[in-house]
Every structure is written in C-alpha cells, then in structure tokens.
Amino acid sequence: MRVGICGLGTVGSGLFNLFATNHDEIGRKTKDAPQLVQVGCRRDHPDCDLSSVDVTRDVFEVARNPGIDVLVELIGGTDTAKDLVLGAINHGKHIVTANKALIALHGDEVFAAAEKKGVSVRYEASIAGGIPVVKAIREGLAGNRIDWVAGMINGTTNFILTEMSRPGSNRSFDDVLKEAQDLGYAEADPTFDVEGIDAAHKLTILASIAFGIPLRFDAMYTEGISRITSDDILFAAELGYCIKHLGVARRSGRDVELRVHPTLIANDQMLAQVNGVMNSVMVGSDAAGATMYYGAGAGAGPTASAVMADIIDTVRGTQVPNLGFNDLSEPNFTPISSISSSYYLRLGVEDKAGVMANVSTVLSNHGVSIEALIQKDARVRDAQIVILTDEVVESKIDAAISELESLDAVTSSVSRIRVASL
Ligand code: HSE
C-alpha cells in the first residue's frame, strides 16, 4: 500500500516522522507494510526531512496520482477537504482522515461515494486524538447495545476550565483563554473550541457509531464555556462539584438526546479527575457496563498514532461498516427543552428581607425543587444566591428563570448550568 499525506501541519508532520520512527514495528504488524511515497503540502515543515518522498504543493495531485493507494487527509476545514476526499475516492483511493467537521457534516456523502467505488474511509483520529475510541465502540463493544456516551472531547475547553479551577486562582475565562493561546492550546480564533462546535462535531460521530443513527450535527444542542465565571467555579466547588465541558449522547428506545455544554460533575466521579488538555470518553453499554477511555486528545504524536492505526487497518483490509452498522435508523431527537436534569442556578439579588422567599416561591410554582442552596451576602461580595435543584424537565427551569429575571429584587441574569447524572 502506497500512502500519500495531504497537509503537513502538526498532525501531518507527526505522521511523517512516525513512519520513520516506527518503521520496523509497523512492518512486523502488516504483511504489506505501508510505504509513504508522496506529501502534498503548501510548505515544508521544519521537523521533517522530505528528501525521501515526492513533494507536491498541489494536494489534488496526490488525489490523482495513480501511484497512491491511500490518501491521508490532514488539511482540515470542509470545502477543499471534501473536494479532495471525493476526488481521491473517485480515483479509487482509500481515505484516512482526522477531519471531524468533514465526517460530521459530509460523512453521508463521503461514505456513499466510497461504497460506490469499493474503497474505505477511516476517521479514528477525528475524535479524541490518541484515544482509540472509534475502535472501542465500533469493534470492541460491537456485541453491546450502547445506551449512552459522555465525554470531555475538547482539550482547549478542558484546559481553560482546569486552570480557572485551580485553588486560589480566581482567574477569568478571558485571562486563561489568552494563556491557552500563548501556549498553542487554543487557536487565534478560538470560536470552534470555546463555543463547543468542535466537541459537537465529535459527538455527532460518536452518537452515530454508538447508536447506529445518521450523522445529524443539526440535531445537536451546542453551548460553549465563554459565560462560565470564576464565581461559578467557586460555588460549584463549595457544593462538591467541578465544571467541565461535557458531551452527552443518550438513547432511550427511539428517543435520542445530543448535547454539549458546560456541566457540573461531582468531584467523586472519574470524569472529574480528567484535567488539563486531556480527553476522556465514557460509554454505557448493556453487557460490558460502563467503560472509560482516557488520553491525549490532540497533538502530533497522539493524533498521528490514530491515523497510523487507520492506515494499518487499511493495509490489513479490516472490514467494518463506516458507522459500525449495516443500516442506520432515524431516531426521534429530543429537543433540549424536554431533557431532564438537575440544575445549578446563580443569581445576583438585592440584599434585603424576603428575597429568598420570593425566589423559592417562583421555583416552587414552576415545580422546581431545591436540593442545596448557598447565599453570600453583600458584605463578602455582591449578594448572590446559588441553588442546586432536583431533577426537572428543562422547560420548567426555563420558565422559572424567565420569571426570576423579571423580579425587581433579582439584579443579574440567571446563570444556569446542567448537572451530570452518569
Ligand atoms: N481543538 C481540538 C481540542 C483539537 O482542543 O481538543 C483536536 O480536535
């Protein structure tokens, strides 16, 4: 199998070097070791000696090259990447990609084209970098009915929330985001990561391979972390929780909920221990029970590891349906207003008699019951009330929040964060 890499950024350079570093290991694991013969890249990479391969500045040349059997797409984005991948498929090449947006948004079209041409499309590296979670779900857990998947699948948001949570840190979202950018963990335009879109792309794919449903990014509820404050982190800690950006896909019969958002996780849960840029995915299945996967979700080595595993699978000719199922069933997607959860609420209030009673009355009128409550008076900071509710349907919380925000004694908008029940 002759391999062409398109894109020589962080992952492409990591893959290029992995071919050399682990040449012997890979050779022992395949009868017909993959040979790297061409690289398509806009510019060379300082970490890569490209003298042993053909280099082209036009990635479409790799797609057309009759001497290439497997095209590795590492250019990212959707428009050019889609044209490149469809072009390569049309020329009869197998595809390996790390591109979650491409699979989440255009996977159906790409898989259909590949099936027509009898070639494979593999995408392990698109989710959680070095963690082989696609393989775990599509192959390792193939004998199970999977009921839920939950995970921290974006390293940037996990890094920011972890730094904001350091004892005594009291740092703002903007302050830590700037540090993440300086360290290279966050892009100059961090929108995709901090607003949850990157995680939503990944969870779209995870839900499809877990439940056998079509790729439906548009059915996902997506909320990022930019509104989380250091007060939220402190109050959550006082209640025994940390705040993480969590993706949750859950099914019950034909009903499926898909959501990524900031989430309170009890400190004694294993996911609460996943810090910094690390990723983790938990899978709830009927025979194996809950299983958990942990590792680096990004970076040259970890992502190249996942890409190389897909190249080796391609060489071995492993046959797995694209999304793990021979046919997909259309579920009923549950709108976010119909999910049930416990909620953390924080509101600024006037520091005067009767305010607490008013707040509890509004909650009780909407059928929201209080599990825990913290009140900080104005001598310490702005008067604030923090409430942890019992589980309730989200539309009731929405209605209660609207009414709370209309009270004269409530001085801020209400901050609302869902609480995980895993
Ligand atoms: N931007 C992603 C993250 C990198 O922060 O996890 C890998 O998808």
Side-chain angles (χ1 to χ4, degrees):
M1 284 276 180
R2 296 154 303 174
V3 178
I5 299 176
C6 293
L8 201 63
T10 304
V11 181
S13 62
L15 180 66
F16 182 89
N17 289 327
L18 193 60
F19 264 97
T21 317
N22 284 357
H23 177 267
D24 294 347
E25 280 294 318
I26 294 161
R28 291 171 61 210
K29 291 171 183 171
T30 47
K31 285 204 181 103
D32 169 22
Q35 307 296 325
L36 178 56
V37 298
Q38 191 173 36
V39 173
C41 55
R42 271 188 302 206
R43 63 189 76 86
D44 292 359
H45 192 285
D47 297 343
C48 301
D49 172 5
L50 299 175
S51 56
S52 61
V53 291
D54 179 27
V55 178
T56 170
R57 299 295 177 214
D58 174 11
V59 287
F60 287 90
E61 209 176 284
V62 183
R64 290 189 298 266
N65 183 347
I68 295 290
D69 304 301
V70 186
L71 181 141
V72 182
E73 184 277 304
L74 301 174
I75 62 173
T78 44
D79 296 343
T80 309
K82 183 177 152 197
D83 291 344
L84 178 69
V85 162
L86 290 175
I89 289 171
N90 205 27
H91 283 91
K93 297 179 199 329
H94 300 290
I95 303 296
V96 173
T97 179
N99 191 330
K100 56 250 161 183
L102 176 71
I103 298 298
L105 302 177
H106 304 294
D108 294 345
E109 190 179 344
V110 169
F111 295 146
E115 265 164 39
K116 215 162 133 195
K117 287 299 265 187
V119 295
S120 61
V121 178
R122 291 183 165 86
Y123 50 87
E124 179 67 69
S126 66
I127 305 165
I131 310 174
V133 67
V134 173
K135 199 170 256 300
I137 293 176
R138 282 197 318 186
E139 297 169 53
L141 296 171
N144 289 255
R145 188 198 67 234
I146 294 176
D147 296 315
W148 55 268
V149 178
M152 275 112 71
I153 43 183
N154 181 268
T156 308
T157 45
N158 203 28
F159 173 83
I160 293 173
L161 291 173
T162 302
E163 288 303 311
M164 288 174 73
S165 305
R166 286 202 188 284
S169 124
N170 214 19
R171 291 175 70 189
S172 70
F173 167 80
D174 289 327
D175 178 31
V176 182
L177 172 59
K178 166 115 190 20
E179 182 191 344
Q181 286 170 322
D182 291 344
L183 290 169
Y185 293 150
E187 305 281 343
D189 177 359
T191 314
F192 260 52
D193 289 319
V194 300
E195 296 306 339
I197 301 157
D198 175 82
H201 285 147
K202 293 166 179 165
L203 192 68
T204 298
I205 306 171
L206 283 175
S208 289
I209 61 175
F211 307 149
I213 60 174
L215 293 156
R216 285 286 305 280
F217 176 71
D218 56 351
M220 178 81 54
Y221 172 79
T222 305
E223 185 183 317
I225 63 164
S226 53
R227 288 200 297 268
I228 300 293
T229 66
S230 54
D231 277 355
D232 291 324
I233 304 257
L234 281 173
F235 289 133
E238 254 185 70
L239 291 161
Y241 293 82
C242 60
I243 301 179
K244 298 287 188 189
H245 191 253
L246 194 72
V248 178
R250 196 188 297 276
R251 80 162 159 192
S252 169
R254 287 197 59 222
D255 294 336
V256 168
E257 55 185 68
L258 299 179
R259 48 195 172 97
V260 296
H261 49 69
T263 308
L264 261 68
I265 300 181
N267 284 330
D268 60 1
Q269 292 272 340
M270 285 192 293
L271 281 175
Q273 315 310 319
V274 178
N275 289 317
V277 291
M278 301 309 275
N279 281 197
S280 184
V281 177
M282 279 184 89
V283 182
S285 50
D286 61 350
T291 53
M292 184 169 170
Y293 311 89
Y294 170 90
T303 314
S305 156
V307 173
M308 188 62 90
D310 276 350
I311 294 172
I312 290 172
D313 266 358
T314 308
V315 172
R316 287 171 170 167
T318 316
Q319 298 282 328
V320 187
N322 289 316
L323 290 171
F325 290 74
N326 293 324
D327 54 66
L328 304 177
S329 58
E330 188 70 43
N332 299 318
F333 288 105
T334 308
I336 192 70
S337 57
S338 300
I339 69 146
S340 283
S341 176
S342 298
Y343 295 85
Y344 157 105
L345 307 175
R346 176 174 58 81
L347 48 158
V349 290
E350 286 177 6
D351 195 10
K352 64 179 191 191
V355 172
M356 183 67 88
N358 285 351
V359 169
S360 349
T361 303
V362 168
L363 290 174
S364 141
N365 287 347
H366 288 281
V368 179
S369 123
I370 295 174
E371 189 193 293
L373 188 144
I374 303 175
Q375 185 176 12
K376 297 283 180 196
D377 77 30
R379 278 167 300 182
V380 181
R381 53 173 69 240
D382 294 344
Q384 296 200 79
I385 295 176
V386 175
I387 295 162
L388 213 53
T389 75
D390 286 325
E391 200 166 305
V392 62
V393 71
E394 182 141 330
S395 55
K396 291 190 177 178
I397 284 287
D398 290 342
I401 288 175
S402 296
E403 194 172 334
L404 286 172
E405 287 178 341
S406 71
L407 296 179
D408 289 341
V410 172
T411 55
S412 71
S413 56
V414 177
S415 156
R416 180 271 312 273
I417 308 175
R418 298 169 191 87
V419 181
S421 67
L422 298 169

